[in-house]
Amino acid sequence: MQESLLPGELSSLIGRSQLLRQGADTVGSARVLTFIGPGGVGKTRVAERLVHEMSRASDFECGRVHLADLREGEDRLAPAIAQAFGLRENSPEPAEDLLVEHLAPRQAVLLLDNCEHLVGEKPGSGSVPQLLRTLLQAAPGLRVIATSQIRLGLSGEHLLPVPPLCIGTEESSDPAALTTVHEALQLLIVRARAVGVEITESNYPIANRLCQLLDGLPLAIELAASQLDVLSLQSVVQHSDLLGLLVDGTSTEAHHRGLRAMLELSQKLLTSDEQRMWALMTVFESENGFDLDAARAVCVGDGIASADVQPLLSQLVRKSLLLIDHQAGSTRYRMLRVIRQFGQQLLIHAQHDADSSTAPRPASAVVHAAAEYFSDLARRGAKLWLSPGEVEWMHLLRLELPNLRAAQKYFLTQPRQRHRGVELATNVTQSRCQIFAGQLNDSRRMLMLGLQHAADHAEPSDVAATSMLAWIAMLQGRLDLASPLLQKAEREAATLGLSETLAPLLYASATAVFLGEPDLQKAKAALPALERAEAAFQLGGNAGDTFMAILFRAMAVAFLGERDQAVLQRDRLLALASEAQAVWSISWATWTSALVEFMHGSARRAISLAQEALRLQRKIGDAWGPTWSAWLLAVATAKVGDHELAGKLFGAVSSLQRESQTCVVNMQPFLRVNDEIKDYCRHTIGEDRFREAIAAGQKLSIEDGIVLALTPIEEMRVPRVGENLLTSKEIEVIRILAQGKRYAEIGRDLDIADRTVETHVRNAKRKLDLHNRSDLVAWYLDPESSKSI
């Protein structure tokens, strides 16, 4: 049986219908279901299909996490699961706490793929079982579907073995007589057709034989099918080493022997250059893979010309040793874990054979080459992101974060290159790619990891990293975390004689005053401090850091300075971003222009500019900016007089903040404005109406909240002159009065006495200085004649 493709699948799922039914039945009564079996048997595909069917048939919220890149002790499991459920990596709170809070009230299903290396030697130990115990206890509506080569060891865990595909021997002991298209054969037929080879009924006996030799393992069958454009079925089956490899493999599992046989057969069918390329590409362990430039970097010095790298990669793709993905507008290559592990053995074995033409440099030299490439990538990203290719840079660096982390760890293990691990973390932070991706905690972890390896005497790179770590804490609204870091950086800078010249420290210290000082007059000290930071960055020649200093200076002047100063700094910022043709920078320059208009000019113009910034942020995939734009739209909407829409936007902002794990009002200048505007709204329309509006906004989905924030300015309701003088009940009475109803009818509609209606009308006329009911109705029906309060 061939299932239809799921969204994102490149090939169909063959068979497994009975297994899927068993899984559905089991997960209905069990909270933990583990698909268990050897590598290459197809556990992931079955689990993905089951989760898809569960999400389609129920209200389960689904999170999917592939664990191949995670290592025990890295503290990345909970953050990875949090991101899978859409929780942003920006809050300083532990990701485990965020998960508990998010999952506790929900019906959710979590898919954890490739758990075996995070389970531990003893059943139930390891990071996966330990975290799952916490989540399952806290979230009664959570279901877990896992794939692993070993059981997780959790109480109540149900194991569902994933067998190889049916190969037909169940029905007959005479393989040559088989003509039924069983599952393994169907997979072989479909995958052979993909490389242009048709397996007809006359070929079924030999095709069945191949399926049996491969034990029905899907990965092995797919690898075999990929060779059928260069070898016949007969040639593959009769290969001189195939039966020997199947029988004599060291594993006691027949399935493992079948997979090993196919991998070694694939090796023998490669040219020496292709084998060398396979071995070299195993250095990339990220599930996001690698691109052509990274591949070229690690091939330098191994006898592979730069021009030959892409053709060799294409050969490995064609022979199913590499998968190809298109992400962020670029082509990336990815190697399945089992294939990568086998290729790593090639790398090791080849180096023991001095006469081998396929022997690359030592593995350590290959890892070093990869680390050098990604270190240079981070350095270029930090210096060049303010450019027409800015968004592409941010997407690329976001994709490369796993490889960048691996490069950092390599440098930190080299005694004489530890400082390079610190510098790499600082460069990644300076590139702003983690802010763009909504992964501030990833930046914190990289910086902290580098600083944990610091020498007894701090170096300039350590002070810069500590300063950047403090700056990240301030963006998260955690001055309590930032203050001791800044104090440490200032002490170390003083020891090194860098207190007045180290730009990252000057920038972080000035930002702390701007964002953290509650006293308005004292906060103004941030203005000259940010000017000094800007000058220091300019001396260093880093255009991107200079832009960030100007951005924060323009924001600070908008909040703390006079209109002329604010307009001047805004114009500088816009000019710099526009000249660079840098879209992300333009979006923030536009946002800052909206802030200047809100504080010193037209609230309507502020709304138009903030909406323009929001559209840009959404277009380029900025995960951080939309929350700030929505907040600015909320306060500006209140200022133009649509207090109920402002309340809904405040409610939507609270949802956006939870989703992105940001908190705008944890920063003093934003808090001052936020409190003032909300108090104004409560005073104008009343506490109850404003609270109801906020609640309505909180009920909106994230997407609907964004749509609300983009409400055209002409559709916003401008309050009538004097409306703030009336109670909500008086306005309700006038609304029904304008429909032509009498006092008695209004009383019945509102469940109040006729006399009470008359009192409301009389009070409204007095407050608005109107003479009769007709004037009151005309006042209500002609809002365009009224001006904003």
Side-chain angles (χ1 to χ4, degrees):
M1 173 183 177
Q2 179 173 331
E3 302 284 346
S4 60
L5 286 173
L6 295 182
E9 283 187 335
L10 300 180
S11 57
S12 55
L13 176 65
I14 304 296
R16 305 305 198 187
S17 57
Q18 181 178 356
L19 187 63
L20 285 169
R21 284 195 296 271
Q22 289 178 309
D25 292 340
T26 302
V27 82
S29 58
R31 297 189 63 196
V32 181
L33 168 63
T34 302
F35 287 106
I36 193 165
V41 79
K43 303 183 294 295
T44 299
R45 295 292 298 277
V46 175
E48 288 275 11
R49 176 70 65 159
L50 178 59
V51 169
H52 172 75
E53 292 183 355
M54 288 179 64
S55 64
R56 186 174 57 180
S58 68
D59 294 327
F60 278 102
E61 180 180 354
C62 295
R64 298 171 173 84
V65 184
H66 300 284
L67 303 177
D69 288 337
L70 272 63
R71 297 292 179 268
E72 197 72 74
E74 288 185 338
D75 190 29
R76 290 174 52 208
L77 177 60
I81 297 175
Q83 290 179 34
F85 280 109
L87 303 179
R88 298 295 184 188
E89 270 279 74
N90 294 318
S91 170
E93 300 302 320
E96 183 175 321
D97 293 348
L98 296 175
L99 273 172
V100 167
E101 179 182 358
H102 180 78
L103 294 174
R106 288 173 165 81
Q107 295 289 318
V109 57
L110 169 62
L111 169 59
L112 292 180
D113 187 35
N114 295 326
C115 295
E116 52 272 357
H117 60 298
L118 299 176
V119 170
E121 296 181 1
K122 297 180 179 180
S125 63
S127 55
V128 165
Q130 290 172 5
L131 178 58
L132 287 182
R133 285 193 192 94
T134 299
L135 297 182
L136 289 165
Q137 183 176 2
L142 176 64
R143 298 289 184 272
V144 176
I145 296 176
T147 73
S148 179
Q149 295 186 29
I150 59 176
R151 62 177 299 172
L152 306 185
L154 290 168
S155 176
E157 177 186 14
H158 285 243
L159 301 181
L160 192 53
V162 179
L165 294 173
C166 170
I167 57 176
T169 54
E170 297 86 344
E171 294 82 26
S172 172
S173 59
D174 182 6
L178 291 175
T179 58
T180 303
V181 183
H182 49 71
E183 293 174 349
L185 179 55
Q186 186 180 357
L187 178 62
L188 182 62
I189 292 170
V190 171
R191 299 300 187 261
R193 189 174 295 141
V195 296
V197 176
E198 283 293 330
I199 297 178
T200 63
E201 188 169 344
S202 63
N203 302 130
Y204 283 4
I206 189 66
N208 276 317
R209 179 59 179 159
L210 178 58
C211 291
Q212 293 162 25
L213 289 175
L214 300 178
D215 296 317
L217 283 172
L219 178 57
I221 292 171
E222 296 195 7
L223 289 169
S226 71
Q227 309 298 333
L228 294 180
D229 60 340
V230 293
L231 290 174
S232 68
L233 272 170
Q234 190 76 30
S235 297
V236 174
V237 170
Q238 294 181 350
H239 192 278
S240 59
D241 292 326
L242 181 57
L243 290 178
L245 288 169
L246 285 166
V247 173
D248 298 331
T250 57
S251 173
T252 59
E253 294 289 332
H255 308 326
H256 285 187
R257 295 200 300 272
L259 183 58
R260 183 184 299 106
M262 201 62 256
L263 289 171
E264 294 191 2
L265 173 59
S266 297
Q267 175 196 357
K268 294 179 183 297
L269 295 175
L270 297 177
T271 66
S272 59
D273 281 348
E274 290 167 355
Q275 290 187 39
R276 184 185 295 113
M277 178 63 75
W278 181 5
L280 290 171
M281 293 307 99
T282 63
V283 74
F284 304 109
E285 298 190 4
S286 166
E287 68 177 26
N288 289 332
F290 56 93
D291 62 12
L292 180 59
D293 288 339
R296 285 174 173 155
V298 300
C299 287
V300 172
D302 271 301
I304 299 177
S306 178
D308 293 335
V309 172
Q310 195 277 329
L312 285 170
L313 291 174
S314 297
Q315 285 294 93
L316 295 184
V317 170
R318 188 179 69 82
K319 296 177 181 180
S320 296
L321 294 170
L322 282 179
L323 300 178
I324 190 168
D325 295 320
H326 298 287
Q327 301 183 49
S330 64
T331 298
R332 297 184 68 81
Y333 302 90
R334 180 167 55 88
M335 191 176 291
L336 294 178
R337 187 182 180 198
V338 66
I339 295 175
R340 185 174 71 243
Q341 289 174 336
F342 189 86
Q344 288 169 339
Q345 295 178 12
L346 293 181
L347 189 63
I348 295 170
H349 294 160
Q351 289 156 10
H352 290 297
D353 184 358
D355 299 325
S356 173
S357 61
T358 65
R361 292 169 294 169
S364 59
V366 179
V367 174
H368 178 80
E372 288 284 356
Y373 170 78
F374 288 111
S375 176
D376 182 64
L377 189 72
R379 187 181 305 110
R380 288 186 289 136
K383 292 184 177 298
L384 302 176
W385 61 264
L386 185 68
S387 69
E390 177 178 70
V391 174
E392 288 74 16
W393 262 109
M394 296 214 180
H395 281 294
L396 173 61
L397 291 170
R398 177 167 63 179
L399 284 173
E400 299 293 8
L401 281 174
N403 287 321
L404 290 164
R405 286 192 292 263
Q408 182 195 24
K409 291 174 184 174
Y410 167 78
F411 287 126
L412 292 176
T413 62
Q414 309 301 307
R416 296 184 179 180
Q417 300 194 62
R418 185 206 63 81
H419 67 284
R420 297 193 59 191
V422 178
E423 290 171 351
L424 188 149
T426 303
N427 284 331
V428 173
T429 300
Q430 288 176 318
S431 77
R432 275 71 189 177
C433 73
Q434 291 147 315
I435 298 176
F436 180 79
Q439 297 181 18
L440 281 179
N441 273 355
D442 191 74
S443 178
R444 290 181 68 245
R445 279 191 291 269
M446 289 187 71
L447 290 167
M448 290 173 66
L449 180 63
L451 291 170
Q452 286 171 3
H453 290 74
D456 294 336
H457 302 289
E459 301 178 14
S461 59
D462 298 322
V463 183
T466 304
S467 302
M468 293 303 295
L469 189 58
W471 183 76
I472 291 295
M474 284 180 285
L475 287 189
Q476 295 179 313
R478 293 297 303 271
L479 191 65
D480 58 321
L481 298 179
S483 294
L485 289 167
L486 273 178
Q487 293 168 9
K488 179 175 185 290
E490 288 166 352
R491 289 194 304 269
E492 293 173 346
T495 301
L496 296 170
L498 300 174
S499 297
E500 301 300 322
T501 57
L502 191 67
L505 175 58
L506 295 176
Y507 177 50
S509 298
T511 304
V513 177
F514 166 43
L515 297 179
E517 176 53 61
D519 185 285
L520 187 60
Q521 293 304 313
K522 292 180 179 178
K524 291 182 179 180
L527 300 180
L530 282 165
E531 184 176 2
R532 290 193 295 273
E534 177 191 333
F537 278 133
Q538 285 178 330
L539 284 175
N542 191 319
D545 282 340
T546 301
F547 174 85
M548 292 301 296
I550 296 173
L551 170 62
F552 272 70
R553 185 179 175 189
M555 290 168 54
V557 173
F559 279 115
L560 304 171
E562 302 298 327
R563 173 179 169 78
D564 290 346
Q565 295 175 306
V567 170
L568 174 64
Q569 296 304 323
R570 175 201 66 189
D571 290 347
R572 292 181 64 222
L573 185 69
L574 278 169
L576 181 57
S578 299
E579 183 180 355
Q581 301 178 47
V583 180
W584 183 81
S585 299
I586 289 172
S587 74
W588 278 101
T590 304
W591 183 93
T592 305
S593 298
L595 178 66
V596 171
E597 287 294 332
F598 171 77
M599 296 296 298
H600 301 284
S602 164
R604 286 180 171 273
R605 178 64 177 153
I607 290 172
S608 296
L609 288 166
Q611 288 179 335
E612 183 181 343
L614 177 57
R615 291 188 189 97
L616 273 176
Q617 291 160 347
R618 297 278 287 173
K619 181 179 179 181
I620 64 178
D622 183 351
W624 173 263
T627 302
W628 303 86
S629 293
W631 175 84
L632 187 49
L633 284 163
V635 295
T637 299
K639 199 170 184 179
V640 301
D642 197 337
H643 307 103
E644 294 206 33
L645 177 56
K648 291 179 181 178
L649 287 172
F650 277 120
V653 167
S654 68
S655 298
L656 276 168
Q657 289 184 140
R658 284 195 303 272
E659 191 265 347
S660 64
Q661 288 300 309
T662 62
C663 189
V664 179
V665 296
N666 275 4
M667 305 176 193
Q668 289 297 323
F670 295 91
L671 177 62
R672 284 190 288 267
V673 170
N674 191 79
D675 288 350
E676 180 182 344
I677 290 292
K678 282 189 171 182
D679 286 345
Y680 171 61
C681 289
R682 293 186 185 98
H683 174 76
T684 304
I685 64 173
E687 178 71 37
D688 291 344
R689 284 175 63 190
F690 188 57
R691 187 187 301 115
E692 289 170 3
I694 291 176
Q698 289 174 331
K699 293 177 182 177
L700 296 174
S701 66
I702 297 299
E703 188 59 37
D704 286 344
I706 294 294
V707 171
L708 183 68
L710 294 173
T711 299
I713 185 70
E714 59 270 14
E715 295 181 16
M716 293 184 179
R717 177 181 171 275
V718 178
R720 300 158 182 85
V721 171
E723 184 174 337
N724 61 315
L725 302 174
L726 304 181
T727 67
S728 59
K729 186 62 72 175
E730 289 167 351
I731 293 174
E732 186 71 4
V733 166
I734 299 170
R735 180 185 67 79
I736 302 176
L737 185 68
Q739 298 172 6
K741 293 187 177 183
R742 299 178 181 275
Y743 287 174
E745 294 173 305
I746 297 173
R748 285 194 298 270
D749 286 351
L750 299 180
D751 194 25
I752 57 179
D754 299 1
R755 286 177 178 267
T756 304
V757 174
E758 184 178 0
T759 300
H760 285 315
V761 171
R762 184 171 60 252
N763 289 339
K765 288 190 296 182
R766 176 178 53 79
K767 291 176 182 178
L768 298 173
D769 195 23
L770 298 175
H771 300 294
N772 52 49
R773 288 172 50 183
S774 298
D775 290 344
L776 197 60
V777 170
W779 171 87
Y780 183 84
L781 294 177
D782 191 17
E784 292 301 321
S785 65
S786 300
K787 297 180 180 179
S788 176
I789 299 173

